[in-house]
Structures are given as structure tokens and as C-alpha cells.
């Protein structure tokens, strides 16, 4: 199934924007998926390309890769909700993130459990800082740069992260499930033996549960609970 979509609009965070996306869930005729998304606007620009192979070399391993380039321009409206006397927002600084994520996953025997391992490499930096806002823009990188020097963000800092994840899924549908449970447990590890400019450990758990409403709507509606927890 292939789809092409166009988006556009105006928001307080992204400003005015337009976008184009393309999706194909049978790209080469063997279940591969390809997704391309391009969005451009006054404050934000995103370019994302993702490809996944569900049965690599006819094995039970699935592989995927995603490449992205993102730009977000902070201004006085998106940050403080303020405009100047002309009714326009003043530009503060621009943050850019460029990177890639490689993913491998495998179902554990015939169970509902799946193991996933991913590796992400990002270069994050800031530029076009308005005069007088250098301290505000660079303070966001305190503790995340080599030798704790926020000015390193001007040339870009490297984030290198590996994330093992174990997930369980008993829901009855990928889209719009009506019953079942989905659990994801992951630990993101940045820096250390992975290299990069800073070290961080991020354990995360996500729990979702769906069940039909048998009391109020006689099963026509569905109750859903979502819990997410993270510690850095």
C-alpha cells in the first residue's frame, strides 16, 4: 500500500509550514517499508528517510535505518510569547540536529516478546545566535558538552547511543486495538564505550492496556490506559 500526503498549517510552536510525505509498506515487493517526510516552515525544517526490512536475508531478524536532518529556530514568541512593536517575533537562535538510527529486532521464539537493539548517532549544534542571547542559548547544553563547555555547541556536539529494548505485545490490532497489553522496557546508554561527547543512562518503561467498555456502551467503545516512566 502506497500513500502520498500533503500537510500545511500554522501553529504557535512551528510557525507556518508545509510538508510532503510518502509511505510504501511493500517497497520491493517483500514487505519492506519506505517512509519519506519533508517539512519546511518559518521556524522548523525536517527531512526524514526511513527504510525497514522485516526478514533480512530470509531470517527472523528485522533491520531498519533512519536518516534525518532537523532545524528549529527559537524566537521570542515560541520562547516567551512576546512580539516586538511591529507585531513580529525576534529571532533568538537556531538548533540543528543531524543523525541516523540503525535498528535490529527479532521475535523471541514463538512468544509475544520481541528484542530490539538500536544505535543512534547525532550531531547537535546551535547557530545564528542573536546578540545578547548567547548565555540563554548555550545554557541548554550545560552538562552535555566535553569538559562542560557550552560553547562547544557552536561547532556541534556528538551523541552516540545504544538502546536495548524488550517488548511484549498482546493487542489484537496494530492500529486502533480494542484489547490487549503492550509493554516496552528500554535502557539508552550514551557515551562511555560508545564514544560521543557526553555520557547518559536513560531507563524507560511504557505500559499500554486496552479493553472494551462493557458497562456504558456495551462494547462499542474502548478504554485505554497509557503509563510512561523515565529516569536520567
Amino acid at each position: 500500500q502506497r500513500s502520498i500526503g500533503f500537510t500545511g498549517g500554522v501553529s504557535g510552536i512551528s510557525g507556518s509550514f508545509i510538508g510532503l510525505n510518502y509511505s510504501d509498506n511493500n517497497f520491493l515487493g517483500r514487505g519492506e517499508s519506505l517512509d519519506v517526510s519533508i517539512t519546511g516552515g518559518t521556524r522548523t525544517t525536517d527531512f526524514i528517510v526511513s527504510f525497514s526490512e522485516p526478514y533480512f536475508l530470509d531470517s527472523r531478524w528485522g533491520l531498519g535505518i533512519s536518516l534525518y536532518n532537523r532545524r528549529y529556530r527559537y524566537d521570542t514568541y515560541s520562547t516567551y510569547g512576546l512580539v516586538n512593536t511591529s507585531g513580529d517575533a525576534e529571532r533568538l537562535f537556531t538548533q540543528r540536529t543531524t543523525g541516523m538510527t540503525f535498528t535490529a529486532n527479532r521475535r523471541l521464539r514463538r512468544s509475544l516478546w520481541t528484542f530490539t537493539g538500536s544505535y543512534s548517532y547525532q550531531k547537535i549544534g546551535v547557530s545564528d545566535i542573536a546578540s545578547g542571547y548567547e548565555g540563554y542559548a548555550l545554557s541548554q547544553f550545560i552538562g552535555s558538552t566535553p569538559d562542560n563547555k557550552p560553547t562547544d555547541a557552536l561547532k556541534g556536539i556528538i551523541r552516540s547511543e545504544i538502546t536495548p529494548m524488550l517488548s511484549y505485545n498482546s493487542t489484537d490490532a496494530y492500529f486502533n486495538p480494542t484489547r490487549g497489553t503492550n509493554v516496552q522496557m528500554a535502557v539508552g546508554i550514551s557515551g562511555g564505550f560508545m564514544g560521543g561527547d557526553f555520557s547518559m543512562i536513560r531507563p524507560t518503561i511504557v505500559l499500554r492496556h486496552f479493553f472494551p467498555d462493557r458497562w456504558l456502551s456495551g462494547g462499542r467503545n474502548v478504554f485505554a490506559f497509557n503509563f510512561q516512566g523515565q529516569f536520567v
Side-chain angles (χ1 to χ4, degrees):
Q1 182 179 354
R2 298 176 182 175
S3 65
I4 299 177
F6 297 92
T7 60
V10 178
S11 75
I13 294 179
S14 301
S16 58
F17 63 93
I18 58 174
L20 169 68
N21 57 77
Y22 171 83
S23 178
D24 189 339
N25 60 11
N26 195 24
F27 180 58
L28 298 176
R30 295 185 297 272
E32 300 89 347
S33 66
L34 175 68
D35 294 283
V36 180
S37 176
I38 303 174
T39 303
T42 54
R43 293 197 187 106
T44 182
T45 300
D46 287 338
F47 177 72
I48 306 171
V49 179
S50 301
F51 174 79
S52 64
E53 164 62 67
Y55 303 103
F56 181 66
L57 297 178
D58 292 328
S59 70
R60 294 166 59 189
W61 283 96
L63 299 181
I65 186 170
S66 178
L67 307 174
Y68 48 88
N69 188 356
R70 296 168 175 160
R71 174 193 66 89
Y72 186 79
R73 191 197 78 204
Y74 290 83
D75 57 31
T76 53
Y77 184 82
S78 62
T79 306
Y80 304 116
L82 302 175
V83 295
N84 58 23
T85 55
S86 300
D88 299 320
E90 298 288 348
R91 298 185 180 186
L92 299 181
F93 64 95
T94 298
Q95 180 174 319
R96 289 182 170 85
T97 302
T98 303
M100 59 82 64
T101 298
F102 176 79
T103 304
N105 61 77
R106 176 168 178 157
R107 177 74 62 87
L108 300 181
R109 297 183 182 274
R110 298 179 180 275
S111 70
L112 298 178
W113 291 90
T114 300
F115 171 79
T116 302
S118 66
Y119 171 73
S120 295
Y121 181 91
Q122 295 179 333
K123 184 176 181 180
I124 309 167
V126 295
S127 61
D128 305 324
I129 303 177
S131 177
Y133 284 93
E134 293 86 357
Y136 173 79
L138 298 178
S139 65
Q140 299 182 90
F141 294 90
I142 293 177
S144 300
T145 58
D147 302 321
N148 200 24
K149 296 180 179 179
T151 53
D152 289 338
L154 295 174
K155 61 182 179 180
I157 59 176
I158 302 300
R159 176 179 181 177
S160 178
E161 181 177 84
I162 186 173
T163 306
M165 180 175 71
L166 191 63
S167 60
Y168 171 86
N169 190 359
S170 64
T171 57
D172 58 352
Y174 186 82
F175 297 105
N176 301 320
T178 61
R179 65 181 72 246
T181 301
N182 177 239
V183 181
Q184 298 177 3
M185 298 173 288
V187 180
I189 303 172
S190 304
F193 68 95
M194 297 302 302
D197 291 329
F198 64 94
S199 299
M200 181 172 64
I201 298 177
R202 292 186 304 118
T204 303
I205 184 170
V206 178
L207 170 64
R208 300 184 180 97
H209 183 64
F210 304 85
F211 61 93
D213 165 30
R214 302 184 184 280
W215 303 277
L216 301 178
S217 65
R220 293 192 304 272
N221 298 325
V222 176
F223 284 120
F225 293 95
N226 179 52
F227 170 83
Q228 299 185 44
Q230 184 180 88
F231 181 81
V232 176

